[in-house]
Amino acid sequence: MIRTILSVENRIWNSFLIFLSVLFIGFFFAIGAVSGYFAELVRNQPVPDYKTLSRDINDYSESSVGYFAGNIPIGKMNSDLIRTKTALKDVSPNLVHAVIATEDELFYHHHGVVPKAVIRASFEQLLNEPQVTGGSSITQQLVKNQILTSEVSFARKAKEILLALRVEKFFSKDQILEDYLNIATFGRDRSGSNIAGAEAAAEGIFGVAADKLDIAQAAFIAGLPQDPFVYTPFTKQGDVKTDITAGVGRAHEVLQRMYDTGYISKSQLDAALNYDYRSHFAKPQKSAAVDYPYLMKEAADRSQTILAKLAAQQESYDGDTLYNDYMAYQKVEYEYSRKLYGSKSAEEIAKLHGTNLGTLTGHYKIFNGLLQTAAHRLATGGYKIYTTINKPIYDSMQHVAQNYTGYSPDKIVTVGSSRTGKSGSVKDPMQVGSILIENRTGRIISFVGGRSFQQSEYNYATNVPRQNGSTMKPLLVYAPAMELGLIQPGSILPDLPYKRTINGQVYQPTDYGSTATHQIYHGFETARAALAQSDNVPAVSVFTRLNSVTGRAPDYLKKMGITTLAGSDGYNISAALGGIARGITVEENTNAFTTFANGGQFVDAYMIDKIVDGSGHVIYRHESAPVRVFSPQTSYLMVDMMRDVLKYGTGARLPGSLQFSADWAGKTGTSQDWRDSWLVASNPNVTLGVWNGYAHNEPMNPLTYSTQTRQLWAGFANGAYQIDPQLMEPAKRFEQPPGIVRHTFCGITDEQATPMCQAAGFVKTDLMNVKYLPNRTIEALEPAFASPSGKGNSPSHTQPGQISGFRIKPDFLSTYFPFTDLQSADPALLGKIQK
């Protein structure tokens, strides 16, 4: 009996040992099989080193931020995802605890993977059961989001585990958690923008910094990553949803987990469960792209160009050369498409500019690619863009532009679609563009891009070239002519019929107010008076002589930063009156006028002061490079002549519209058929330029356009004055430099006065550049006698053969006043000068 019992026990024991052996062998076989399967799954996954992992984990987008002058934030640059990078030390412990309790309660105890959670998730996937948990630690989620894809497969999960273990080897728990909190997505913010990162979530959802989140707020944010767009409280428009129960319910789940894991007490749980989320959500707010659309777009465009130039330098190109060729290519394409050089090919046009079309094309493609890359970097690189724009003045100018009640009614115009080839009617509202520039530095203080970005996205201050009318006269005619000694402010000029044939067409300019049947002229007048009254014919006469002397008049415009000249612009006679093919922008025109305020030095206007990259390094800082265009003497004479424009000339009503007084010098301008109206004026501190007109080049009302321009200019100036009186009303005046004297001379020759010059009324006293003081006598006049018969042009009181006055010597007339047609002039305009 005993033997039987022992035999049974032995058999049971042996069976148990066999079972244990089989189980043991099976266990290790399973481990080997799983290990082999795991090894096969990760066979093609390289094992990254620290440098590679660090780069991949930290390679997440961060929104760039724009700033007004004085480091005042404008807001996030427009991008698909708003993200603000923040350090873990700047995140509330409440949020840290909420995330750990919800996502990975063993975070500080595991080495990257929680086996139990992985096994549970694997069984759920094998059995096709609902995924209650992804089985992923915070480390695994970081790996999945930053290195792998969101693909659901054993292969991806195996790679995730391998890389998570690797990450834990190289990085601390705090580093991992910080990266996770910066890459997690949190739905939408109060502007309706997609957001990522704890800082953007805290500011965008509750209007507080990440380190100020309380328990209830932290729980709400920590619950969002599971399903951001279900739980987010905001709509795409930035309004709070009518039903927020999903998000609040998820927050309550997080709070319970925080209590269960010991992060909060029962009393804290109860208080947080009663939190009124709706009343604590941040108030809906427009994004910077909505509040400041013109500014954000302009800052982005300029920053992209800067970043592209910097990238070109890194690729061993000269960034400026590449950019200049990029712009030159577009200019050649414009000239070719508009047939500005007749039938010449693009290749021939490029050669006219001293370059090669192939080179331009290649550089255009390279720089265009760099611009696209720069745009992506700007949207995702976390740059800080510091602009020169004064926020209060900018806001004031926008208010004036948007609330001005004097605009003319919208026009209805017919436009064709390049896409469909069909035509249709659209509204064409009157537009305005303006810019305020600090003379000495070139700093753009403010600008107005248009009446409304929603109405038109074109920036009429910086990007829309328009014909600049008579504001061209100081830039292209009078200042260059004074620089070369051809005229002085007191020089006598003929405002008389001018007639010449150009390319088979007769060119006969007249003054403002002329009609087809009634031409207006004013006879002989000084350059000072001609500019003040904006008479056209004297400007054309001077430009004709200027062209014959230098042949390079446009070079002055180019030195003053005007880049939009095309074809024969600047050489053609109509350019003296602003008649150019493409036009120039408000920024370029205004910036050019600062040259006179700067004593003849051109300082290029700029809006981007500096750019700081995501690591805090200043990668760009603006540096001015003044260009000498005119002498200080020429510049002061030009300023003094433009003072008269605002004293008794075409801008005489402006000072009375201002709430303050300053030493202003400026010029008005109108293009043909009243399509563009301009006013640009400088004081010793700033230059303000204004343009108004219609986008589709429709003519304005000739009775009201100048009043509209003046009122807008005054509105912008008065608004800026209310904010910064010292800027707009400097105590100093334009200072007369050495080398200028008041002198008496013969105005028709600019030389010493003669008896005949005195008798004809041509002796003038005015400011002169001592470099061109008269040192000789030139007689431009000769006696004019009545005809022997007593007829012809002899005055009725003059006997035949007697002196009836004076006439201009023919050789002087052809040299100094070419194409002036005295024979067609009204005798009443000639005074003592005979035909």
Side-chain angles (χ1 to χ4, degrees):
M1 184 69 177
I2 293 174
R3 288 181 180 177
T4 301
I5 292 173
L6 290 174
S7 176
V8 172
E9 287 179 348
N10 287 336
R11 284 198 295 272
I12 291 173
W13 176 250
N14 290 335
S15 298
F16 178 69
L17 291 176
I18 292 171
F19 173 75
L20 286 177
S21 299
V22 171
L23 186 63
F24 186 75
I25 293 170
F27 174 75
F28 281 100
F29 177 80
I31 290 177
V34 170
S35 299
Y37 181 55
F38 182 86
E40 176 61 26
L41 291 176
V42 300
R43 179 169 57 89
N44 295 321
Q45 174 65 41
V47 179
D49 56 17
Y50 169 79
K51 185 177 180 180
T52 302
L53 277 177
S54 179
R55 180 197 64 204
D56 292 344
I57 288 174
N58 289 284
D59 183 23
Y60 48 82
S61 66
E62 180 183 4
S63 303
S64 295
V65 181
Y67 293 87
F68 289 103
N71 298 341
I72 301 171
I74 305 171
K76 306 288 187 183
M77 307 292 276
N78 194 21
S79 65
D80 295 331
L81 182 68
I82 302 299
R83 188 198 311 269
T84 303
K85 187 175 180 180
T86 190
L88 186 62
K89 65 181 177 62
D90 296 322
V91 176
S92 168
N94 293 322
L95 182 57
V96 172
H97 297 158
V99 168
I100 291 175
T102 307
E103 299 293 335
D104 187 358
E105 64 182 276
L106 298 176
F107 175 69
Y108 283 110
H109 304 286
H110 63 64
H111 297 288
V113 178
V114 181
K116 180 176 68 174
V118 173
I119 293 170
R120 181 175 65 246
S122 299
F123 273 108
E124 288 172 353
Q125 186 172 338
L126 282 171
L127 299 175
N128 200 28
E129 292 182 355
Q131 292 285 110
V132 177
T133 173
S136 295
S137 66
I138 286 176
T139 311
Q140 288 174 265
Q141 292 182 55
L142 178 63
V143 166
K144 179 181 70 175
N145 287 322
Q146 291 301 99
I147 302 176
L148 302 174
T149 67
S150 297
E151 171 195 5
V152 179
S153 69
F154 285 116
R156 203 271 300 155
K157 180 61 72 174
K159 294 175 183 178
E160 179 186 297
I161 293 171
L162 174 66
L163 291 172
L165 295 171
R166 192 75 173 166
V167 167
E168 291 271 350
K169 177 181 178 180
F170 289 125
F171 302 97
S172 70
K173 290 290 186 179
D174 282 354
Q175 287 176 305
I176 294 168
L177 186 58
E178 179 179 298
D179 284 326
Y180 173 80
L181 288 172
N182 279 313
I183 63 99
T185 56
F186 295 97
R188 293 192 180 95
D189 66 5
R190 55 180 165 175
S191 69
S193 300
N194 299 333
I195 53 175
E199 186 65 35
E203 292 178 355
I205 296 174
F206 291 107
V208 300
D211 63 350
K212 303 299 182 184
L213 291 168
D214 61 28
I215 293 172
Q217 293 169 340
F220 192 95
I221 290 176
L224 288 168
Q226 186 185 70
D227 201 337
F229 295 103
V230 170
Y231 298 140
T232 184
F234 294 105
T235 67
K236 190 174 183 179
Q237 290 71 38
D239 301 315
V240 177
K241 291 178 179 178
T242 303
D243 183 3
I244 60 171
T245 54
V248 173
R250 173 61 177 161
H252 288 176
E253 291 177 12
V254 175
L255 288 168
Q256 188 62 52
R257 291 291 300 156
M258 293 177 73
Y259 173 69
D260 292 342
T261 51
Y263 284 118
I264 59 176
S265 66
K266 184 66 168 63
S267 61
Q268 288 174 316
L269 171 64
D270 292 339
L273 289 174
N274 291 312
Y275 188 80
D276 182 3
Y277 282 102
R278 185 176 291 276
S279 66
H280 286 86
F281 288 137
K283 301 302 180 186
Q285 183 183 65
K286 296 177 182 178
S287 67
V290 175
D291 281 343
Y292 296 101
Y294 286 116
L295 177 54
M296 292 301 275
K297 186 176 187 302
E298 190 66 25
D301 289 346
R302 292 179 187 238
S303 297
Q304 286 168 21
T305 299
I306 292 170
L307 293 177
K309 286 184 178 182
L310 293 175
Q313 298 290 142
Q314 293 172 354
E315 296 185 20
S316 300
Y317 292 102
D318 183 284
D320 289 331
T321 298
L322 212 58
Y323 172 73
N324 290 338
D325 284 354
Y326 171 84
M327 299 299 292
Y329 173 85
Q330 295 181 75
K331 178 179 179 179
V332 169
E333 286 293 296
Y334 176 85
E335 292 171 331
Y336 174 70
S337 65
R338 297 299 180 94
K339 302 297 181 185
L340 297 184
Y341 287 99
S343 60
K344 290 187 183 296
S345 65
E347 289 85 352
E348 291 172 319
I349 294 173
K351 288 180 180 178
L352 288 176
H353 293 302
T355 186
N356 177 276
L357 184 63
T359 300
L360 294 185
T361 302
H363 286 178
Y364 173 85
K365 291 179 178 179
I366 293 170
F367 198 78
N368 192 53
L370 292 173
L371 281 174
Q372 293 177 21
T373 301
H376 175 73
R377 289 171 58 197
L378 194 63
T380 62
Y383 292 91
K384 289 180 172 59
I385 311 299
Y386 294 88
T387 75
T388 60
I389 302 298
N390 180 300
K391 183 181 186 300
I393 294 179
Y394 185 86
D395 289 341
S396 172
M397 289 180 67
Q398 310 316 304
H399 179 79
V400 171
Q402 293 166 11
N403 292 279
Y404 176 64
T405 59
Y407 293 113
S408 296
D410 296 352
K411 295 198 175 188
I412 304 298
V413 297
T414 301
V415 297
S417 170
S418 58
R419 183 175 59 85
T420 65
K422 297 180 180 180
S423 297
S425 297
V426 298
K427 282 186 177 181
D428 189 14
M430 177 178 277
Q431 285 292 351
V432 61
S434 178
I435 200 161
L436 179 65
I437 302 174
E438 186 176 59
N439 301 326
R440 181 179 57 83
T441 63
R443 182 170 60 97
I444 297 176
I445 298 170
S446 182
F447 71 92
V448 171
R451 289 172 64 182
S452 167
F453 192 78
Q454 287 68 40
Q455 197 178 67
S456 173
E457 294 185 12
Y458 289 115
N459 189 326
Y460 292 95
T462 63
N463 292 325
V464 181
R466 301 291 296 225
Q467 291 196 351
N468 65 333
S470 291
T471 60
M472 183 68 91
K473 292 171 183 174
L475 306 174
L476 183 62
V477 181
Y478 289 110
M482 287 194 292
E483 183 73 6
L484 297 176
L486 301 181
I487 63 168
Q488 295 292 305
S491 297
I492 299 293
L493 305 175
D495 187 16
L496 297 165
Y498 175 103
K499 183 178 180 180
R500 66 184 293 191
T501 301
I502 304 174
N503 297 326
Q505 300 291 321
V506 176
Y507 181 68
Q508 291 181 283
T510 56
D511 288 340
Y512 183 84
S514 297
T515 65
T517 58
H518 178 66
Q519 288 78 45
I520 295 177
Y521 303 99
H522 300 95
F524 290 100
E525 60 185 2
T526 63
R528 181 184 291 278
L531 180 72
Q533 300 296 344
S534 203
D535 292 334
N536 291 332
V537 184
V540 170
S541 179
V542 172
F543 186 66
T544 301
R545 187 177 167 202
L546 179 67
N547 257 348
S548 67
V549 170
T550 175
R552 300 296 304 172
D555 288 351
Y556 289 100
L557 296 180
K558 294 173 184 175
K559 285 183 180 180
M560 289 185 279
I562 294 175
T563 63
T564 49
L565 299 179
S568 61
D569 283 350
Y571 298 98
N572 54 313
I573 196 71
S574 61
L577 310 179
I580 52 180
R582 197 175 181 184
I584 64 177
T585 67
V586 176
E587 179 182 345
E588 288 184 329
N589 204 22
T590 306
N591 197 187
F593 271 78
T594 66
T595 305
F596 305 125
N598 284 328
Q601 286 200 121
F602 171 72
V603 179
D604 200 10
Y606 71 101
M607 190 181 296
I608 307 301
D609 187 46
K610 68 177 179 179
I611 298 177
V612 178
D613 66 15
S615 300
H617 300 118
V618 177
I619 61 171
Y620 169 81
R621 190 185 300 274
H622 176 79
E623 294 181 3
S624 294
V627 175
R628 171 62 64 186
V629 183
F630 302 113
S631 68
Q633 292 74 28
T634 294
S635 296
Y636 182 79
L637 293 175
M638 195 71 256
V639 164
D640 194 59
M641 289 171 67
M642 291 193 296
R643 281 169 169 157
D644 287 351
V645 173
L646 305 182
K647 286 179 182 177
Y648 64 85
T650 54
R653 295 178 64 190
L654 178 63
S657 301
L658 297 178
Q659 300 169 357
F660 62 101
S661 177
D663 187 11
W664 288 104
K667 186 70 187 78
T668 61
T670 310
S671 67
Q672 191 170 12
D673 298 326
W674 307 285
R675 299 181 189 276
D676 305 277
S677 180
W678 293 82
L679 177 55
V680 185
S682 304
N683 69 31
N685 281 354
V686 296
T687 299
L688 174 63
V690 170
W691 163 91
N692 62 289
Y694 285 94
H696 293 279
N697 221 25
E698 291 294 300
M700 292 180 288
N701 185 334
L703 300 178
T704 61
Y705 78 91
S706 63
T707 298
Q708 292 164 330
T709 308
R710 172 176 54 82
Q711 289 176 342
L712 284 164
W713 195 100
F716 297 145
N718 287 333
Y721 168 74
Q722 293 297 327
I723 294 160
D724 192 343
Q726 292 183 340
L727 178 73
M728 301 303 294
E729 190 182 26
K732 62 182 179 180
R733 293 175 58 84
F734 288 108
E735 186 175 344
Q736 179 175 310
I740 291 179
V741 296
R742 183 169 292 277
H743 194 73
T744 300
F745 59 100
C746 179
I748 201 167
T749 63
D750 291 343
E751 295 294 348
Q752 295 174 357
T754 65
M756 274 192 281
C757 181
Q758 180 74 49
F762 286 161
V763 172
K764 297 296 176 183
T765 300
D766 206 331
L767 297 179
M768 289 192 77
N769 186 340
V770 296
K771 180 179 179 180
Y772 300 113
L773 282 177
N775 56 14
R776 55 181 178 163
T777 300
I778 295 180
E779 190 59 81
L781 306 172
E782 60 185 12
F785 293 91
S787 64
S789 64
K791 298 180 180 180
N793 61 7
S794 173
S796 59
H797 62 274
T798 304
Q799 297 300 314
Q802 289 183 335
I803 295 177
S804 61
F806 305 95
R807 71 182 188 123
I808 301 175
K809 291 180 179 179
D811 58 339
F812 184 91
L813 185 67
S814 62
T815 301
Y816 286 81
F817 302 147
F819 306 108
T820 297
D821 184 11
L822 293 183
Q823 299 304 314
S824 301
D826 183 346
L829 298 176
L830 299 178
K832 295 182 179 180
I833 299 298
Q834 304 300 307
K835 294 181 182 179

